[in-house]
Amino acid sequence: MTEYLYKHIAVAYCDAINSDQCKRIAKKWQLDYIGDAAAANKQPQLQFLLQLNQQALELLKLDEPKLGGVKVDFVEGAVAHRRKFGGGRGQDIAKAIGLKHGFTPHVLDATAGLGRDAFVLAGLGCQVTLMERMPIVAALLDDGIERAKLNSEVSEIANRMTLVHASSIKNMNLAQQVDVVYLDPMYPHREKSAAVKKEMRVFQSLVGEDLDADALLEPALALAKYRVVVKRPSYAPPLNNIKPSTSIKMKKNRFDVYVKRAIPKV
């Protein structure tokens, strides 16, 4: 996170009862605290706002209020639907990771983002370490995981998720030995901006593209015991232009799988 972006983001509450919690969030992620979210309108230098709204932390792009807030929600909405009806171990991501023969790997999601794929894998029984380098994204993810731990329906899944706020490129080698490394770096969308879903519009304006994404593959291959899985748009070249062992193709995306050794049969 650059100093420029720090100056253009603040933490606020929608209800004063959450003021102490907001102060803790601001201190943890080294962001400015402005109190009432309504005060953001009086600070034209602010471009983004992390606000606590009904106990959930959400990110607002202040010059596009119609987009609404971006938050991590592992309990309701699309994530809940995928958990209940997504197809279990028959999903493409499960096949790519190697969930078969009773093998349930420890996965490092080295580009965690909003944690949706990590939550799917944790829901299928994997221990998942989530590494996210951007403080704002990590703050949203941390909030979502902690709220999920308080929900009886998904607490067991959330407890299999461990967040590490660090750059994967610089710190992946410090992670404990993992079975599979999963990578999903941000890639520029071909669609016009209005067609890109709000999370991507907000994040691309906040953090830009992962221009150093190619540098992820080498440390991932060094760390993973069995394989590295890279999620790519169907039109994108392989990461670092290195051909994968195999690919699982979907409508808009694919999983490039780099095999180091065979998945053990249990």
Side-chain angles (χ1 to χ4, degrees), residues 21 25 28-29 50-52 54-59 70-76 79 113-116 119 130 135-151 154-159 161-163:
Q21 186 177 353
I25 291 170
K28 180 175 182 177
W29 301 104
L50 272 176
Q51 71 175 18
L52 203 56
Q54 297 182 343
Q55 304 303 314
L57 193 66
E58 59 185 15
L59 176 66
V70 174
K71 65 181 179 180
V72 173
D73 188 350
F74 294 131
V75 180
E76 299 178 347
V79 173
L114 292 177
R116 288 171 180 156
F119 184 78
L130 301 89
I136 306 307
V137 182
L140 293 171
L141 189 51
D142 183 50
D143 177 72
I145 292 172
E146 292 307 309
R147 281 187 286 107
K149 288 179 180 179
L150 300 175
N151 183 280
V154 297
S155 60
E156 184 178 350
I157 299 173
N159 281 316
M161 302 169 70
T162 302
L163 175 63

Side-chain angles (χ1 to χ4, degrees), residues 11 17 45 85 93 121 143 145 154 158 172 199 219 229 237 249:
V11 179
I17 196 172
Q45 80 280 8
F85 308 109
I93 190 173
L121 296 173
D143 177 72
I145 292 172
V154 297
M172 200 185 305
E199 290 94 341
V229 176
K249 297 179 180 179

Side-chain angles (χ1 to χ4, degrees), residues 115-131:
R116 288 171 180 156
D117 286 340
F119 184 78
V120 169
L121 296 173
L124 296 174
C126 297
Q127 291 292 330
V128 185
T129 300
L130 301 89
M131 193 169 281

Side-chain angles (χ1 to χ4, degrees), residues 1-9 45 47-48 205-206:
M1 176 66 67
T2 65
E3 183 181 355
Y4 172 82
L5 286 176
Y6 270 127
K7 292 179 179 179
H8 290 72
I9 300 174
Q45 80 280 8
Q47 296 179 354
F48 299 91
S205 61
L206 175 65

Side-chain angles (χ1 to χ4, degrees), residues 61-225:
K61 190 171 185 289
L62 294 176
D63 62 351
E64 291 191 78
K66 291 184 179 180
L67 287 176
V70 174
K71 65 181 179 180
V72 173
D73 188 350
F74 294 131
V75 180
E76 299 178 347
V79 173
H81 187 272
R82 186 176 177 185
R83 174 171 55 85
K84 296 174 182 177
F85 308 109
R89 290 194 173 209
Q91 297 177 72
D92 289 324
I93 190 173
K95 296 175 183 176
I97 291 295
L99 285 170
K100 59 181 181 180
H101 307 303
F103 174 71
T104 306
H106 178 186
V107 179
L108 170 64
D109 183 346
T111 53
L114 292 177
R116 288 171 180 156
D117 286 340
F119 184 78
V120 169
L121 296 173
L124 296 174
C126 297
Q127 291 292 330
V128 185
T129 300
L130 301 89
M131 193 169 281
E132 174 55 49
R133 65 178 173 178
M134 303 305 298
I136 306 307
V137 182
L140 293 171
L141 189 51
D142 183 50
D143 177 72
I145 292 172
E146 292 307 309
R147 281 187 286 107
K149 288 179 180 179
L150 300 175
N151 183 280
S152 60
E153 195 171 358
V154 297
S155 60
E156 184 178 350
I157 299 173
N159 281 316
R160 287 195 286 269
M161 302 169 70
T162 302
L163 175 63
V164 177
H165 172 222
S167 166
S168 296
I169 294 174
K170 297 178 180 178
N171 298 285
M172 200 185 305
N173 63 336
L174 300 179
Q176 295 181 345
Q177 179 69 50
V178 296
D179 298 310
V180 177
V181 176
Y182 179 77
L183 303 172
D184 181 14
M186 192 176 294
Y187 198 81
H189 287 258
R190 279 184 169 177
E191 299 93 340
K192 294 180 180 179
S193 60
V196 178
K197 61 183 180 180
K198 72 176 182 180
E199 290 94 341
M200 290 300 101
R201 288 182 65 182
V202 172
F203 283 165
Q204 284 184 341
S205 61
L206 175 65
V207 304
E209 302 165 13
D210 283 339
L211 298 176
D212 54 357
D214 284 342
L216 287 164
L217 189 57
E218 183 178 351
L221 287 168
L223 177 65
K225 184 175 182 180

